[in-house]
Amino acid sequence: MKRFADLNEQEILALAISNEDEDNRIYRSFADRLRGAYPETAAMYDKMAHEEIGHRDMLLELHRRKFGDFLPLIRRQDVKGFVARRPIWLNRTLSIEATRKFAEEMEYETARFYRRAADTARDDSVRHLLRQLAAAEDKHESLAHELGEKITPKARAAEDSAARRVFMLQYVQPGLAGLMDGSVSTLAPLFAAAFATHNTWSTFLVGLAAAIGAGISMAFAEALSDDGSLTGRGAPVVRGSVCGVMTAIGGLGHALPYLIPHFYVATSLAFAVVAVELAVISWIRTRYMDTPFLQAAFQVVVGGVLVFAAGILIGNS
């Protein structure tokens, strides 16, 4: 791997051409991924890709005039410390806001690298070329920002609404289902063990086992329920992981107080934790599912109280 300072002018041009070509592909991948749900932003990235191709062609013409048709094979990963980019297939997982920010940052980072490299270059021609490249990247960054500003407020609002729906389908809904299942379904075994044994450590182990078991079960159930290809609910692994983790968290919340060795102190704290969990679930349903808070609270509390009472009755039998 070469240092940037050790590259000659031909290699710098070759690296700049490779850089522009890869940035074009990144913008094309953004446009392809966003075209269905975010047409205005996709059109913006099509324009950015076209600009990158134009600069690549200009650099190629300069290289031909100065060095001929042979272009050395040198890429970002061949130069130590050069600007790194996420692989295109990973870029496809970025949210709409993260994608917009990425587009501006990628040009800024390249310009900054060229500028710093120019400050350390000893050869006048290399220094001049690096500064030209930095100026070109500055223009790209401005173009990215300006094109982003040209998206109409109505189109931006529609795209933001679509992004919110995607977030709901891929994260909030499986997370909420897991939190509700973990918080409610583990109440019965936990409090049955608590009132049957009055042993805090045994109760904690039962709660821990119930939480982990429910988390694994919910993770597989969510992941295998839908591949996301038609519903837009996202990758099964992501949904399953979100659902499983939130299920385990919901179950562990009221199990952790039983690490306290005093039974009645631990049980009182567990009661308080359960109340907080049910309130949080009600708030999430109100915030993201457009359910009135009192209605959400009533639905969640009734279910929680029934399971809670069942556990106490079984434990005292």
Side-chain angles (χ1 to χ4, degrees), residues 1 5 7 31 37 44 47 78 80 102 117 127 134 148 150 158 161 164 172 190 196 245 249 254 279 294 315:
M1 183 176 289
L7 300 180
M44 177 188 81
K47 293 179 181 178
D78 301 324
K80 185 177 181 180
F102 186 94
R127 187 182 303 111
K150 289 180 181 178
S161 176
R164 185 175 183 272
V172 175
L190 179 77
V245 169
I249 289 174
H254 41 258
L294 292 179

Side-chain angles (χ1 to χ4, degrees), residues 63-211:
H63 182 275
R64 289 193 187 97
R65 291 201 310 266
K66 198 166 186 178
F67 301 106
D69 291 329
F70 172 71
L71 185 68
L73 178 60
I74 182 166
R75 298 157 297 182
R76 303 180 203 266
Q77 60 266 34
D78 301 324
V79 180
K80 185 177 181 180
F82 195 69
V83 175
R85 295 275 185 265
R86 289 162 57 100
I88 290 178
W89 65 271
L90 287 177
N91 287 339
R92 300 183 72 85
T93 65
L94 293 177
S95 68
I96 181 64
E97 285 301 326
T99 303
R100 289 168 179 161
K101 185 177 180 182
F102 186 94
E104 293 187 29
E105 288 182 350
M106 62 189 287
E107 302 296 347
Y108 169 75
E109 289 173 354
T110 304
R112 183 178 61 179
F113 183 88
Y114 283 151
R115 191 169 291 106
R116 289 184 178 179
D119 292 338
T120 60
R122 297 180 180 180
D123 185 270
D124 288 339
S125 61
V126 172
R127 187 182 303 111
H128 178 69
L129 178 59
L130 288 171
R131 286 174 178 166
Q132 284 185 320
L133 292 172
E137 296 300 334
D138 284 336
K139 292 179 181 178
H140 291 184
E141 181 193 356
S142 298
L143 179 61
H145 180 74
E146 290 169 6
L147 289 174
E149 292 298 314
K150 289 180 181 178
I151 298 177
T152 64
K154 183 177 180 180
R156 177 64 67 92
E159 292 186 353
D160 289 343
S161 176
R164 185 175 183 272
R165 288 196 299 272
V166 170
F167 179 74
M168 283 278 301
L169 288 171
Q170 296 183 0
Y171 298 99
V172 175
Q173 287 186 358
L176 180 60
L179 186 61
M180 290 180 63
D181 184 86
S183 298
V184 175
S185 68
T186 58
L187 289 176
L190 179 77
F191 287 106
F195 284 91
T197 65
H198 282 70
N199 184 300
T200 57
W201 179 248
S202 296
T203 301
F204 170 73
L205 292 180
V206 170
L208 179 63

Side-chain angles (χ1 to χ4, degrees), residues 185-313:
S185 68
T186 58
L187 289 176
L190 179 77
F191 287 106
F195 284 91
T197 65
H198 282 70
N199 184 300
T200 57
W201 179 248
S202 296
T203 301
F204 170 73
L205 292 180
V206 170
L208 179 63
I212 293 177
I216 294 172
S217 175
M218 287 293 287
F220 276 95
E222 177 64 32
L224 296 175
S225 66
D226 178 15
D227 64 5
S229 60
L230 296 178
T231 60
R233 297 179 65 209
V237 173
V238 174
R239 291 194 338 268
S241 299
V242 170
C243 187
V245 169
M246 293 305 294
T247 301
I249 289 174
L252 283 172
H254 41 258
L256 289 175
Y258 284 98
L259 289 172
I260 300 173
H262 303 287
F263 176 76
Y264 289 105
V265 174
T267 301
S268 298
L269 183 57
F271 287 174
V273 171
V274 170
V276 171
E277 288 173 345
L278 297 180
V280 169
I281 292 171
S282 300
W283 178 84
I284 293 175
R285 294 191 66 189
T286 301
R287 174 68 176 80
Y288 291 102
M289 309 296 290
D290 298 325
T291 304
F293 182 78
L294 292 179
Q295 179 182 339
F298 178 78
Q299 294 170 345
V300 171
V301 169
V302 168
V305 168
L306 290 175
V307 176
F308 177 76
I312 294 177
L313 289 174

